Amino acid sequence: MPIDRRQFLAGAAGASASLLTACAAPTASNTAASAPLPFLVGSPSEALIAKGKAPRVVVCGGGWGGLSAAKNIRQMAPQAEVVLLERNPVFFSCPMSNKWLVDIVDSQFLTHDYLQVSERHGYRFIQSEITQIDRDTKRVHTSLGHLDYDLLVLAPGIRYGYETWFGNDRRAAEATRARFPGAYIPNAEHYALKRALHAFKGGEWVMNLPPPPQRCPPSPYERACLVAWWFKTHNIKGRITILDHKDGVRPIGVGFREAFRDLYGDILTYVPNAHVQEIDPFAQRIKTSAGDMKFDHAVIMAPHQAGDLAWKAGAVGTRPDGKPTGWADVDNKMLTMKGDDDVYVIGDAVGQVSPLPNFLFYPKAGHVANAHGRIVARYIAERLAGRAPKVELPDNLCYMLVNGSPREAIAVQFDYRINDQGILEQAQIDDNDRREALVSEDFRWYARMMGDLFS
Ligand SMILES: Cc1cc2nc3c(=O)[nH]c(=O)nc-3n(C[C@H](O)[C@H](O)[C@H](O)COP(=O)(O)OP(=O)(O)OC[C@H]3O[C@@H](n4cnc5c(N)ncnc54)[C@H](O)[C@@H]3O)c2cc1C
């Protein structure tokens, strides 16, 4: 039986339940009646909303980072006008979506209403496509009109770099994305993947992992485990091959390898150092440095890059050879864009923050994006109050379900500090011992996160 949101909230920890209740209480200034309208009949060539005297912070992207930033800026800097621009009408969570693929949770569990939370906290949610960011004039252009800002928070998530494989061959790139979506950007791809899994009758199921950094590095392994569990519990004669660009499973490598071997050893093969060289979506073949194979279905993950908006804002860094790094170049402590202190970048789009080879990038995780939103809110509040903000760093925590019956998970925790040389360091603790207790912790974590973003 899938768990629905009501059962889940009822079963959530006392701490998170009381958090939800406390946060949900409306105040006189933030009730729905006093909230501005979210659906504007704009015109792309006109101002979307006139700018008043209050400092205006425009948050671009309403995912894990942007939602956290919008709410926290309103709470920490109530004098600011906050506008959240997001293309989707409804929030869809990638975390927990692997469990949704195999019917452990239902769709309601992943989706949330943008409007209610914006009304509750008094920021303005406008559903629109951001088409251009002009930093010289401090103006964001959207499908509904333009918007001037004093401070900008970019939280655009990721985009796929299909051109790495397909160059200008759009037909092949589009066929790959349409027929074999990676489902790492919400949410139409997730529905397509779920349909493909539920219709799968047997044969070769292939999944690739792109070169790092990628969004949520452990989640493809979780997905492979749950697909294998689905095959077993539905008597589907399928074989799963994981083609990993990396030379080994990480993070939580021991825990995942044990799950692959002990639970799915007869149907799951893990292949390291499998660099994708060619994909033919029509003949259903994939060629990698570790060998070629034909597939009946594939979950094809093109390399990840910072979302389009980071490119539109000119925030993407450049390598010594002049090519783009693919990720936003930021001050690693203040999260401001290099060369423009009025633009903050948060979440998955953030580029390299440390020279240490075992770290380099913050994990591209919702937990980190949520913390980034809170951190830049505090930075902005201090700045608007005329004070210099104190540096804050995120943490990260991630649970991965590896077995559906009994439900068992493994986990990883990351902590960050600044060392004596001023360099950011990462400490990683893998919890490889798969057990049911971690599944309950996972659901409590998600309740806390959703409570934080939507209550
Ligand atoms: C299968 C899977 C499992 C995962 N599991 C976990 C987990 O267990 N724990 C965890 O911490 N993380 C997990 N993650 C990672 C997590 O989803 C991301 O790290 C998180 O979403 C990043 O937040 P973000 O705000 O940077 O980007 P997003 O959440 O992607 O938000 C970006 C937003 O910007 C909007 N946007 C982009 N461009 C435009 C535009 N031009 N106009 C208007 N709007 C725009 C998008 O619509 C989107 O809503 C998982 C991811 C996947 C795919």
Side-chain angles (χ1 to χ4, degrees):
M1 274 284 286
I3 300 171
D4 71 18
R5 191 189 301 163
R6 198 175 314 148
Q7 291 164 331
F8 155 65
L9 287 177
S16 41
S18 59
L19 174 74
L20 293 174
T21 323
C23 293
T27 64
S29 62
N30 67 12
T31 53
S34 63
L37 294 172
F39 309 118
L40 302 175
V41 184
S43 149
S45 58
E46 288 172 24
L48 193 51
I49 326 172
K51 189 162 164 354
K53 288 212 176 80
R56 178 185 280 169
V57 185
V58 174
V59 180
C60 297
W64 283 66
L67 277 165
S68 165
K71 169 183 160 179
N72 282 295
I73 297 167
R74 277 295 297 153
Q75 288 184 343
M76 295 178 196
Q79 75 275 34
E81 178 198 4
V82 179
V83 184
L84 175 67
L85 301 171
E86 164 59 45
R87 59 157 70 105
N88 290 324
V90 169
F91 172 89
F92 182 98
S93 174
C94 283
M96 294 287 179
S97 65
N98 286 335
K99 299 171 186 76
W100 168 83
L101 287 178
V102 294
D103 285 347
I104 289 175
V105 300
D106 68 11
S107 304
Q108 267 205 328
F109 195 77
L110 302 182
T111 52
H112 286 267
D113 179 1
Y114 279 119
L115 195 49
Q116 255 191 352
V117 64
S118 63
E119 288 171 350
R120 188 173 298 130
H121 294 287
Y123 61 83
R124 196 147 181 178
F125 162 68
I126 302 175
Q127 190 198 337
S128 58
E129 178 76 25
I130 301 159
T131 52
Q132 195 189 328
I133 293 172
D134 185 343
R135 290 191 293 104
D136 292 335
T137 56
K138 300 186 85 170
R139 181 168 280 187
V140 177
H141 296 263
T142 81
S143 49
L144 293 176
H146 54 78
L147 205 57
D148 293 332
Y149 66 83
D150 294 299
L151 296 173
L152 191 68
V153 178
L154 290 179
I158 60 159
R159 75 177 193 189
Y160 301 125
Y162 280 98
E163 65 282 0
T164 315
W165 296 330
F166 296 108
N168 294 328
D169 185 354
R170 269 188 67 177
R171 186 171 156 265
E174 281 168 4
T176 302
R177 187 169 184 191
R179 296 172 63 182
F180 308 112
Y184 264 68
I185 297 177
N187 50 36
E189 290 182 37
H190 288 78
Y191 284 94
L193 174 56
K194 186 164 183 166
R195 270 199 307 279
L197 176 62
H198 288 227
F200 193 70
K201 298 280 182 274
E204 295 293 338
W205 178 286
V206 170
M207 304 174 57
N208 80 295
L209 272 80
Q214 68 165 93
R215 168 168 278 186
C216 197
S219 57
Y221 307 125
E222 176 190 59
R223 192 180 270 177
C225 287
L226 294 181
V227 169
W229 172 76
W230 177 265
F231 286 176
K232 281 184 172 278
T233 49
H234 289 76
N235 294 319
I236 296 166
K237 302 241 165 307
R239 287 197 51 81
I240 297 163
T241 305
I242 306 172
L243 300 171
D244 197 344
H245 186 98
K246 299 193 297 291
D247 59 5
V249 180
R250 44 181 188 276
I252 347 175
V254 172
F256 276 120
R257 282 198 306 275
E258 285 179 0
F260 294 166
R261 186 194 62 212
D262 301 348
L263 304 174
Y264 314 113
D266 51 338
I267 60 166
L268 190 152
T269 306
Y270 173 79
V271 184
N273 296 312
H275 300 191
V276 174
Q277 294 167 333
E278 265 175 51
I279 293 170
D280 183 338
F282 309 106
Q284 301 190 186
R285 291 200 74 86
I286 184 164
K287 184 175 173 200
T288 78
S289 52
D292 304 1
M293 66 184 292
K294 207 166 158 27
F295 53 80
D296 297 290
H297 188 74
V299 184
I300 300 290
M301 244 202 277
H304 293 175
Q305 306 173 338
D308 259 341
L309 295 179
W311 300 74
K312 287 190 164 103
V316 171
T318 310
R319 295 195 318 219
D321 63 4
K323 294 201 174 127
T325 60
W327 301 99
D329 209 4
V330 298
D331 179 290
N332 63 355
K333 299 182 185 91
M334 299 318 296
L335 297 172
T336 44
M337 178 185 152
K338 293 243 177 89
D340 191 341
D341 285 350
D342 292 341
V343 178
Y344 293 83
V345 186
I346 60 174
D348 286 4
V350 169
Q352 189 176 327
V353 291
S354 171
L356 301 176
N358 67 344
F359 177 12
L360 300 175
F361 293 81
Y362 282 127
K364 303 204 174 291
H367 191 103
V368 173
N370 172 276
H372 275 170
R374 213 170 25 251
I375 290 169
V376 296
R378 196 143 21 235
Y379 289 167
I380 287 171
E382 289 295 289
R383 191 169 158 179
L384 293 179
R387 295 186 291 261
K390 278 213 306 269
V391 173
E392 287 182 50
L393 302 179
D395 63 337
N396 190 29
L397 184 58
C398 187
Y399 299 91
M400 291 284 127
L401 190 68
V402 291
N403 193 4
S405 43
R407 288 185 185 159
E408 294 173 320
I410 54 182
V412 59
Q413 184 187 328
F414 296 93
D415 290 303
Y416 299 98
R417 64 181 280 269
I418 303 171
N419 72 14
D420 295 341
Q421 289 81 49
I423 291 172
L424 289 190
E425 283 183 352
Q426 170 176 271
Q428 175 178 342
I429 304 168
D430 285 352
D431 189 340
N432 293 297
D433 175 19
R434 69 172 183 270
R435 57 194 187 277
E436 288 194 58
L438 291 181
V439 181
S440 312
E441 282 187 30
D442 188 11
F443 279 82
R444 280 198 292 274
W445 169 83
Y446 186 69
R448 257 196 330 274
M449 288 289 140
M450 290 302 106
D452 192 42
L453 296 179
F454 290 100
S455 297

